Amino acid sequence: MKSIVSLLKSATLAATTSVFMAGVAMAAGPAPVVAKPDLAKGEASFAMCVACHAADGNSTTPVNPKLSQQHPEYLIKQLSEFKSGKRANAVMSGMAAGLSDDDMRNIAYWLASKQAKPGFAKEKDTVALGERIYRGGIPDRQIAACASCHSPNGAGMPSQYPRLSGQHADYTASQLTQFREGVRKNNLQMTQVAAKMNDREIKAVSDYIAGLR
C-alpha cells in the first residue's frame, strides 16, 4: 500500500513540476530574435567612415585605428559607448549618434570580414622592452602581461578582448595614455594597467604591438 501511495505522490509531483515549468516558459515568452548582420548595408553605412579609416578599414593615418578584422562584438560595444557618451570622442560621438543598433551590427560584422594589413615595429632601441611588457608584464609593479588577455600574437579573444596586432603605434599609445590620465573611462581593467605605466613603457609596448602578426 505504501508503495502505491509513494508512486502516486511522485507522479503528482512530476506533473506539478511540469505544469510549473511550462508556465515559466510561457511567461518568459519566446527568445528574442537577433537580426542577422547585413554586410552589404554595413559596407554602405561605412562610407561615412572611409575618410578616417580607409575603404577597407585599414587606416593609413597613424592616429586613426585600423578596424579591419576586429572582433565585431568589440566594435559594437565601442560604437554604442561613443553614442551614449560613455566613451568620449567628439568626432566619433557625432558619427555614432545617428547609428541604430542594426547599423552598428552591420558595420561591425562587415569590418570583421575584411582582412587586416600587417604593421611594423619601428623603434629598434625599445623593441626588447616592448616585447618584455607585452609577453611578461612588469611583475614588480603588478602590471599584467598584455598577452594574457590579447593573446601572444595580438589576435585577442572574441567577445572579450580586442585584436591588437598590427595596430598603429601612435593610436595604441594615445589610448593607453588616455586610460592612464582618466580621459578614456570605458574599461576599468585598462585604466588600472595604464595607470602604472610611464611614457617610455607605453611607447615601447605600442610599437611592439604594431609588429605583431
Side-chain angles (χ1 to χ4, degrees), residues 5 29 36 39 53 57 59 78 82 120 127-128 138 165 176 179 181 186 200:
V5 171
K36 184 178 179 180
L39 300 190
H53 298 288
S59 164
Q78 300 311 305
F82 280 130
F120 303 91
V127 69
I138 307 176
S165 59
L176 285 171
F179 277 126
E181 296 177 356
N186 69 330
R200 184 169 182 268

Side-chain angles (χ1 to χ4, degrees), residues 63-80:
V63 295
N64 296 328
K66 296 180 182 180
L67 303 177
S68 53
Q69 213 174 328
Q70 185 58 267
H71 304 308
E73 301 88 350
Y74 177 76
L75 292 174
I76 292 168
K77 179 178 184 290
Q78 300 311 305
L79 286 170
S80 298

